[in-house]
Amino acid sequence: MIPSIHRDSKIIVDLVAIKQNIKKELARLTNRQEMFAVVKANGYGHGSIHVSKAAVEAGVSGFCVSNLDEAIELRNNGIQLPILILSYVAPEYVELMVDYDLSVTCPSLDWLIQVNRIIKQLDLAKPLAIHVKIDTGMGRIGFRSQEDMSQAMAIIDNNPDILLEGLFTHFATADSVSEEHFNLQKERFTVARALFPEKIRYVHTANSATTLWHDAWGSNMIRYGDAMYGLNPSGNELVEPFPLKQALSLETTLIHVKKIEKGEKVGYGATYETKTNEWIGTLPIGYADGLRRRFQGFEVLIDGQRVPIIGRVCMDQCMIKLPKSYPVGTKVTIFGTNQHQFNSIQSGADYIGTINYEITCGLSDRLPREFIDNTCGEMEG
């Protein structure tokens, strides 16, 4: 999907805000801790390449991505810092991982056995760097059995082309008031940690939530994701220890304005009926752009005022109720600041019953991204 650059709907990403969010957290870390910026899923919808370059300027030590292709994209765009692939990569891509100087998650004993067999048939220029994942209570990927962990170490010890670079886990409830499950995961990781060598370059348990509210427990490296973009990982459950600045704005414009008589229907399913003679504006944005149908009724901003989306959101358009007639081309802000009013991404997440980063990750590539990268507010496409 190519960006629709000839249409007035766009994402604006404040890279200055991202740098500030990074620097504020870096200031809280010890001199023994490093930060890897998490830029998977196109930088949580913000644009992975621009975000990564801003993160380098802000002082991160490396990056985390979801898959091999995301890692290769960073390398092909000049990112030279360490890159860790957090999810499963098929063993047959060992040579690609080494060629692109990537670190990869070891999710299971079976995966490691396959990799070990493949590597013995290759002449690698350098060892494959792996981070062993411990499933302490997330239930996704990772080792659970101590016997499997011990067998994994035996394989690693006997193959110089496999480098144990990292050991990690992921907390499922670090963003919650309740710490019961968090503490259980801590206990399990402590047991697992004792089965591996004392000296491992990266030991990391801390996602954004663990970093913000649990002092990056057990980590000499943190994986900084949601908070880097100015979003609170807990939604509204916990208060962040320092102000985070939302980096993403979503803007569009009016493309059509009309007065509709009382008692007329608007939108698919005729779910909205005008109560009086009403001014209706049409916006060139819809669910194909990531503005879900459930946003019907959500208030967007125009001229510093809140106005509701009326009728069902269409694939490419949606309608809003206006307080008066406005010219075609008038700016409408879905998320971000419009005069003295601000719409947070969290408010949109609350409205449709989801989490803030599902909102940003769901914004499609059809929306062009513009980037603010200095205090004067100049933009680049």
Side-chain angles (χ1 to χ4, degrees):
M1 186 183 297
I2 62 171
S4 298
I5 61 174
H6 299 102
R7 180 189 64 154
D8 289 334
S9 296
K10 62 186 178 183
I11 291 169
I12 299 173
V13 179
D14 186 349
L15 297 175
V16 177
I18 287 175
K19 293 176 191 177
Q20 290 174 352
N21 293 330
I22 290 172
K23 289 178 179 178
K24 286 179 179 178
E25 182 54 47
L26 281 172
R28 286 165 23 98
L29 300 182
T30 71
N31 57 10
R32 295 183 178 180
Q33 293 174 313
E34 301 180 39
M35 176 188 290
F36 276 34
V38 184
V39 293
K40 61 182 180 176
N42 195 25
Y44 289 44
H46 292 67
S48 60
I49 303 305
H50 284 81
V51 168
S52 296
K53 291 179 178 179
V56 171
E57 293 179 19
V60 304
S61 299
F63 293 93
C64 295
V65 296
S66 172
N67 58 58
L68 180 56
D69 297 286
E70 290 180 345
I72 291 173
E73 181 186 32
L74 292 190
R75 285 285 186 251
N76 288 342
N77 281 274
I79 300 300
Q80 298 178 355
L81 293 178
I83 299 174
L84 168 62
I85 302 171
L86 293 171
S87 193
Y88 173 88
V89 179
E92 56 260 36
Y93 296 122
V94 164
E95 284 188 285
L96 264 180
M97 291 182 267
V98 173
D99 288 346
Y100 279 95
D101 192 22
L102 305 172
S103 303
V104 64
T105 293
C106 172
S108 67
L109 179 61
D110 180 65
W111 181 91
L112 186 60
I113 290 171
Q114 293 181 61
V115 165
N116 185 52
R117 184 177 65 249
I118 291 170
I119 284 179
K120 287 182 176 180
Q121 300 170 4
L122 301 173
D123 183 18
L124 297 178
K126 59 181 294 186
L128 174 68
I130 66 170
H131 289 225
V132 173
K133 177 71 175 287
I134 308 299
D135 178 10
T136 57
M138 185 72 178
R140 259 184 336 199
I141 61 174
F143 288 74
R144 294 183 74 98
S145 160
Q146 293 185 35
E147 180 180 351
D148 284 357
M149 296 178 206
S150 297
Q151 290 185 46
M153 272 312 309
I155 292 173
I156 295 167
D157 285 340
N158 285 285
N159 191 337
D161 285 327
I162 299 177
L163 170 65
L164 177 60
E165 183 183 65
L167 182 72
F168 74 114
T169 194
H170 189 83
F171 286 113
T173 61
D175 56 358
S176 175
V177 171
S178 172
E179 296 189 5
E180 181 179 358
H181 190 65
F182 180 83
N183 289 332
L184 173 63
Q185 289 192 258
K186 283 171 59 177
E187 293 171 5
R188 289 174 173 173
F189 188 76
T190 300
V191 171
R193 177 70 184 88
L195 300 175
F196 291 87
E198 181 179 350
K199 292 184 178 180
I200 301 177
R201 180 174 180 183
Y202 298 117
V203 178
H204 48 109
T205 70
N207 53 5
S208 286
T210 308
T211 302
L212 293 175
W213 295 297
H214 301 280
D215 296 323
W217 180 85
S219 301
N220 61 17
M221 183 265 273
I222 69 168
R223 307 183 301 266
Y224 204 52
D226 200 40
M228 178 173 70
Y229 305 100
L231 305 174
N232 183 327
S234 79
N236 298 308
E237 190 166 349
L238 298 171
V239 177
E240 58 267 32
F242 58 87
L244 297 168
K245 185 175 181 181
Q246 179 177 302
L248 185 146
S249 298
L250 178 59
E251 296 181 354
T252 186
T253 63
L254 291 174
I255 58 167
H256 191 79
V257 177
K258 69 178 73 171
K259 181 177 279 189
I260 296 182
E261 295 76 18
K262 177 182 179 180
E264 289 292 325
K265 305 290 187 180
V266 176
Y268 283 117
T271 59
Y272 180 82
E273 181 177 324
T274 54
K275 299 175 179 58
T276 62
N277 294 344
E278 297 178 6
W279 286 102
I280 307 300
T282 301
L283 308 178
I285 189 169
Y287 60 76
D289 302 290
L291 189 68
R292 311 263 201 87
R293 292 182 81 199
R294 282 182 287 166
F295 275 108
Q296 177 176 346
F298 182 69
E299 291 185 331
V300 299
L301 307 173
I302 184 171
D303 192 26
Q305 301 178 69
R306 298 186 179 278
V307 299
I309 295 174
I310 59 170
R312 289 178 179 164
V313 175
C314 310
M315 182 183 292
D316 312 302
Q317 302 173 70
C318 65
M319 288 70 75
I320 59 176
K321 178 182 175 181
L322 298 170
K324 62 179 183 179
S325 177
Y326 284 98
V328 167
T330 301
K331 183 174 79 171
V332 177
T333 303
I334 298 172
F335 301 120
T337 301
N338 187 296
Q339 296 185 27
H340 59 282
Q341 295 287 343
F342 176 71
N343 259 9
S344 68
I345 292 167
Q346 184 60 48
S347 70
D350 290 341
Y351 188 83
I352 68 170
T354 187
I355 52 177
N356 50 47
Y357 34 109
E358 185 178 359
I359 297 291
T360 61
C361 289
L363 297 174
S364 80
D365 291 341
R366 192 163 78 164
L367 290 164
R369 270 84 171 158
E370 294 183 355
F371 299 90
I372 302 172
D373 200 13
N374 59 61
T375 54
C376 297
E378 293 182 5
M379 292 187 182
E380 56 178 299

